[in-house]
Amino acid sequence: MATSRETVLYYDPQGGEQTTKLKAILVQMGVRIKNIAPEAVGQTIGCLLGRKGFDARENPEAPALEQPMLVLDGFTDKRLEILLREMKKHSVSVPYKAIVTETNIGWIFHQLYEELAREHEAMSR
């Protein structure tokens, strides 16, 4: 399959079978995967994606994040549908997901995580 311009920033503190399944789905779809290490959660989304104008922050705060998170860049609606369908089909659950926007590309990774956690909690009530 041809490689796309789609990229996923993937953070998973636990790893394991779910990570293996998700990565297999992404590879099959031709999506670039950038694993986010715990020490990188203090960088901006733009920096982690390698975008111009988003330089690495020196000595960034890197709090421990407990849940897996996907940040999706360059996905069309159709490709997003395919990804979500494949995740469901293979029982892969990532509670925190976001699409890169002009607004959140400048956010620090852990700040986006915290916002998604608040939204997830509000929706779970």
Side-chain angles (χ1 to χ4, degrees), residues 62-75:
L65 309 180
E66 298 176 6
Q67 296 294 323
M69 181 166 134
L70 283 175
V71 180
L72 310 163
D73 185 44
F75 281 74

Side-chain angles (χ1 to χ4, degrees), residues 43-85:
Q43 297 298 337
T44 65
I45 301 299
C47 173
L48 294 170
L49 288 169
R51 297 282 179 82
K52 290 180 184 176
F54 293 95
D55 296 329
R57 300 173 68 227
E58 289 188 35
N59 304 314
E61 177 187 7
L65 309 180
E66 298 176 6
Q67 296 294 323
M69 181 166 134
L70 283 175
V71 180
L72 310 163
D73 185 44
F75 281 74
T76 63
D77 289 343
K78 183 175 180 163
R79 291 284 288 172
L80 178 59
E81 269 183 51
I82 292 168
L83 173 59
L84 296 175
R85 183 181 67 231

Side-chain angles (χ1 to χ4, degrees), residues 1-70:
M1 179 176 269
T3 304
S4 68
R5 67 176 193 90
E6 300 153 335
T7 303
V8 167
L9 301 179
Y10 182 55
Y11 174 84
D12 188 353
Q14 291 94 22
E17 184 180 349
Q18 176 168 275
T19 296
T20 303
K21 287 180 185 179
L22 177 62
K23 287 183 177 183
I25 293 166
L26 294 169
V27 167
Q28 184 177 23
M29 290 180 65
V31 176
R32 290 185 331 161
I33 306 163
K34 176 145 189 198
N35 296 304
I36 304 304
E39 58 273 9
V41 302
Q43 297 298 337
T44 65
I45 301 299
C47 173
L48 294 170
L49 288 169
R51 297 282 179 82
K52 290 180 184 176
F54 293 95
D55 296 329
R57 300 173 68 227
E58 289 188 35
N59 304 314
E61 177 187 7
L65 309 180
E66 298 176 6
Q67 296 294 323
M69 181 166 134
L70 283 175

Side-chain angles (χ1 to χ4, degrees), residues 83-97:
L83 173 59
L84 296 175
R85 183 181 67 231
E86 289 298 310
M87 288 174 66
K88 185 175 183 177
K89 177 180 169 183
H90 295 282
S91 301
V92 174
S93 175
V94 179
Y96 303 155
K97 296 181 271 309

